[in-house]
Amino acid sequence: MAGPSLIENKIPPEILSLIFEIGFEPEVNSEDDESLLLTDEDSNDVISNESDDSSDEGDGPKKPLFAVNLSHVCRRWRHVALATPSIWTKIKFSQDSSLEQNVALLERSKSCLLELELIYPLSELPDELIHSESEEATQILDDTRKSLRLALDLIIPHAPRWVALEVTVGVDELMELLLSRLEEVHDASQLRKLSLFSLDFLDENEAQDPRTFRLLGGNVRSLVTLELGRANIALGCLTSWSTNVKVTGISPPPSMSTTKLTTLYLSYISFDLTDLVSLFTCSPSIEKFSTENVDLLLPHHTPSSVLLPKLKKIAISTASPTDAVLLSASFFSPVLESLELTFEDENLDYSNAYEELARPPQALIIPTGFEDNIGEGNIGKIGLKMPSMLTTVKKIEVVFGGHLSLDTALYFLEACSNLTDLYLTTDMDIHSLFTVLRDNAIGQAAHTDSYPSSIMGQLHPNSITHPLLCPHLKAFTIFGGAPFLTEFVRCRDELGHRIQSLDVDVGQPMPAQMVDELSQHVDELICSDDELDSDDSDDDSAWTTTDTDEEE
């Protein structure tokens, strides 16, 4: 890099420092950038950056740390860079990172807030060897454990200035080590993001038993994002972050303080439903809530729903119909915009979960600080006349839908009065949600056209006479068989509720004639090239009725 011009040399150091801060992008330090270890007393007038863009095979280019590039322009820039601690604040620890380099970064960051990343995935071991007792696996795990301990020894004294802590480990044993050490922290009051993930999915269908860790001394009042993936802790200890009182009844004490959580993600862990409700009650600012393969420990008494007045996005993933119902009943949002459902066992009936999501709340727990917004003077269990929270939903994505009765599908879709985007990716032979939408549209348009008895005889009778479902639906995506899809989009178009974007993927070619017909009734038809059949194949089983349809 060429030295600065005379004009740049005239920029006052405080202005140059400000420019450095504006140009700073939070980057993880390059593991190979040994030039960072140059001391502050280097005598060379211009320091060359030995770290180039060459890469190891398969690793891609190595990008030098932004602050290192600045400090290697000239002596003056180096002094200014070293005197600008905010550009040295993002630090990555891994098995291959230089401990000496990270010590230098911590020193140069002075008292600024830190973004820390600890990555110990054991990627050098094949999956089948991670839990083996081979000499190679034992040695690598011992070395990784030692490296993680050294990293924790280095960062724990700086806990009061953590602003983000993101940890990924390869086995649960390393997660246990991490959590036990985090109990030593007495002040993490600046922490805004905490992400703890274990990649240990040897028994991926078994969530971990909860264990109580009082993490971070209970002092994380600034926490905004909490992500737990197979992090073996109990949610009960999370409520202690905002209060020493564990909420086990209907309403929390009026003196309970609140968290600042806006994002909550729980994956492959077990927890008590009452603890989740307690956390909701303390966290009225939650905007995104996601679960994946969690295991609920059932309370003696099912708690009431908690009003989450800012919750806009929900993603629920579980194989248990009971867990699906309890999760769906644990919260209520009057501003929900997006709902993603993954009910993984198509042989089980999840109708109750869909009904719970669509059912208006009978009673709510009002979170701390929002009593006046609801018009109630006290926190507690109150009865309200409120619509279904699906009324405000704009987008629904059903990744796997499990078994869903047609009557429940009608009830569910009836509540989605403002739905604009429906995304169905389930592999079931027939989609209950699509079937009801289709039958409803054909029934609505039947008075303007005649339909073969082979079609009319298979329509769901309740949906035929029901007012048009999801009248604002504009985008529709479906994966898998879609019988009578043409009739569905044509009827919607005839009724003045045209589908603007239709995305279809059934895994086999679509008859060319059908492509032409669909294109006449939608503004945009999306399908991959391998789904277009230029020969107009007679194999259109995915587009016509099936035995499963007739049974339904």
Side-chain angles (χ1 to χ4, degrees):
M1 183 182 293
S5 67
L6 291 176
I7 294 178
E8 291 166 325
N9 270 327
K10 293 181 180 179
I11 298 176
E14 61 272 14
I15 301 299
L16 190 58
S17 177
L18 181 60
I19 293 173
F20 290 173
E21 289 180 339
I22 293 174
F24 171 62
E25 296 178 1
E27 303 172 75
V28 174
N29 44 297
S30 169
E31 295 170 358
D32 295 341
D33 196 355
E34 297 298 333
S35 59
L36 175 63
L37 300 180
L38 292 170
T39 65
D40 297 351
E41 291 77 22
D42 286 325
S43 57
N44 292 334
D45 201 25
V46 177
I47 305 170
S48 62
N49 191 341
E50 300 297 334
S51 179
D52 56 23
D53 286 342
S54 63
S55 61
D56 296 331
E57 184 177 353
D59 288 342
K62 300 293 185 181
K63 186 176 182 180
L65 192 69
F66 174 78
V68 174
N69 275 336
L70 294 178
S71 66
H72 286 178
V73 172
C74 66
R75 182 183 297 277
R76 182 169 182 268
W77 278 37
R78 179 173 182 78
H79 289 165
V80 174
L82 292 174
T84 309
S86 60
I87 64 175
W88 306 92
T89 54
K90 184 146 188 177
I91 309 173
K92 174 182 176 180
F93 292 84
S94 70
Q95 182 68 10
D96 299 322
S97 63
S98 165
L99 193 63
E100 186 180 0
Q101 172 178 298
N102 287 337
V103 169
L105 283 172
L106 284 170
E107 291 176 350
R108 294 179 183 184
S109 65
K110 300 188 187 314
S111 61
C112 289
L113 299 180
L114 298 171
E115 297 181 58
L116 303 175
E117 188 176 3
L118 280 65
I119 307 295
Y120 295 91
L122 298 178
S123 54
E124 60 270 42
L125 272 178
D127 292 342
E128 61 272 15
L129 292 182
I130 286 182
H131 290 279
S132 71
E133 297 181 357
S134 67
E135 183 177 348
E136 177 186 9
T138 301
Q139 183 62 49
I140 290 178
L141 181 59
D142 287 344
D143 292 344
T144 304
R145 189 186 301 110
K146 178 180 179 181
S147 180
L148 177 59
R149 284 198 180 105
L150 291 173
L152 292 171
D153 289 342
L154 190 59
I155 67 172
I156 284 179
H158 299 274
R161 57 192 187 102
W162 293 353
V163 69
L165 178 62
E166 301 178 56
V167 184
T168 302
V169 296
V171 293
D172 290 340
E173 178 184 342
L174 297 178
M175 179 60 70
E176 292 277 343
L177 170 61
L178 170 74
L179 295 177
S180 63
R181 292 298 306 274
L182 290 182
E183 285 190 308
E184 302 173 12
V185 175
H186 299 295
D187 180 11
S189 56
Q190 300 295 327
L191 189 64
R192 293 178 56 83
K193 181 177 182 179
L194 178 63
S195 297
L196 307 177
F197 286 92
S198 169
L199 305 179
D200 194 344
F201 294 118
L202 180 65
D203 300 315
E204 61 178 12
N205 294 322
E206 297 182 9
Q208 295 293 288
D209 293 331
R211 175 178 173 184
T212 301
F213 285 93
R214 184 175 173 79
L215 299 183
L216 307 172
N219 188 1
V220 285
R221 57 179 177 269
S222 298
L223 194 66
V224 171
T225 298
L226 175 63
E227 299 170 333
L228 300 177
R230 208 171 170 88
N232 190 20
I233 66 174
L235 285 187
C237 73
L238 302 184
T239 57
S240 68
W241 287 352
S242 58
T243 176
N244 291 325
V245 180
K246 181 179 178 182
V247 182
T248 55
I250 292 299
S251 61
S255 60
M256 176 179 288
S257 59
T258 60
T259 74
K260 295 181 180 180
L261 277 179
T262 63
T263 301
L264 179 61
Y265 173 79
L266 306 173
S267 172
Y268 288 94
I269 64 172
S270 299
F271 54 85
D272 191 300
L273 180 63
T274 303
D275 291 336
L276 178 64
V277 170
S278 299
L279 185 58
F280 281 159
T281 306
C282 300
S283 308
S285 297
I286 288 181
E287 298 177 3
K288 298 178 182 179
F289 171 56
S290 304
T291 69
E292 181 180 2
N293 285 55
V294 296
D295 182 24
L296 287 183
L297 306 178
L298 304 184
H300 296 296
H301 303 286
T302 303
S304 297
S305 303
V306 179
L307 175 67
L308 296 177
K310 297 185 178 182
L311 182 63
K312 294 183 178 181
K313 184 174 182 179
I314 300 171
I316 297 176
S317 172
T318 180
S320 166
T322 300
D323 288 357
V325 171
L326 292 173
L327 285 170
S328 302
S330 63
F331 54 82
F332 174 81
S333 170
V335 295
L336 190 64
E337 296 178 356
S338 175
L339 176 64
E340 180 180 326
L341 302 175
T342 305
F343 298 152
E344 297 182 356
D345 193 335
E346 65 182 50
N347 298 315
L348 298 179
D349 190 343
Y350 293 87
S351 295
N352 289 340
Y354 284 90
E355 291 179 5
E356 191 61 54
L357 286 166
R359 184 179 295 116
Q362 302 301 310
L364 287 174
I365 298 175
I366 308 303
T368 304
F370 279 84
E371 312 92 320
D372 294 338
N373 296 351
I374 305 300
E376 293 288 327
N378 299 312
I379 308 173
K381 181 180 179 182
I382 63 173
L384 295 172
K385 292 184 178 180
M386 302 185 74
S388 164
M389 67 177 171
L390 296 185
T391 302
T392 59
V393 171
K394 303 293 185 182
K395 178 179 180 180
I396 292 180
E397 180 175 349
V398 182
V399 181
F400 291 100
H403 179 69
L404 171 63
S405 71
L406 294 179
D407 285 329
T408 299
L410 176 62
Y411 177 67
F412 181 84
L413 290 171
E414 181 183 16
C416 301
S417 56
N418 288 294
L419 187 68
T420 61
D421 193 335
L422 181 59
Y423 190 94
L424 303 177
T425 63
T426 172
D427 289 333
M428 296 173 62
D429 292 331
I430 184 171
H431 314 301
S432 298
L433 295 173
F434 167 69
T435 300
V436 169
L437 271 176
R438 177 200 71 191
D439 294 359
N440 174 254
I442 293 176
Q444 288 289 305
H447 68 281
T448 63
D449 206 343
S450 60
Y451 292 85
S453 58
S454 60
I455 294 179
M456 296 300 293
Q458 296 180 53
L459 302 185
H460 185 233
N462 291 341
S463 64
I464 293 176
T465 58
H466 195 282
L468 187 67
L469 295 168
C470 306
H472 303 290
L473 188 64
K474 300 298 181 184
F476 183 63
T477 300
I478 189 164
F479 283 37
F484 306 133
L485 181 63
T486 303
E487 286 82 354
F488 167 64
V489 297
R490 179 164 68 88
C491 289
R492 296 281 301 200
D493 194 14
E494 289 178 358
L495 295 168
H497 296 270
R498 184 181 180 95
I499 300 294
Q500 294 180 355
S501 176
L502 176 64
D503 189 348
V504 184
D505 183 352
V506 297
Q508 68 183 64
M510 181 189 301
Q513 180 182 355
M514 187 175 187
V515 173
D516 294 337
E517 293 176 354
L518 289 173
S519 299
Q520 296 175 18
H521 299 289
V522 298
D523 295 339
E524 180 185 29
L525 177 62
I526 304 172
C527 51
S528 60
D529 293 340
D530 57 1
E531 292 162 4
L532 300 178
D533 186 1
S534 58
D535 297 329
D536 202 10
S537 171
D538 293 333
D539 183 12
D540 57 356
S541 58
W543 311 104
T544 57
T545 183
T546 64
D547 293 340
T548 308
D549 295 341
E550 295 174 357
E551 293 174 3
E552 289 283 340

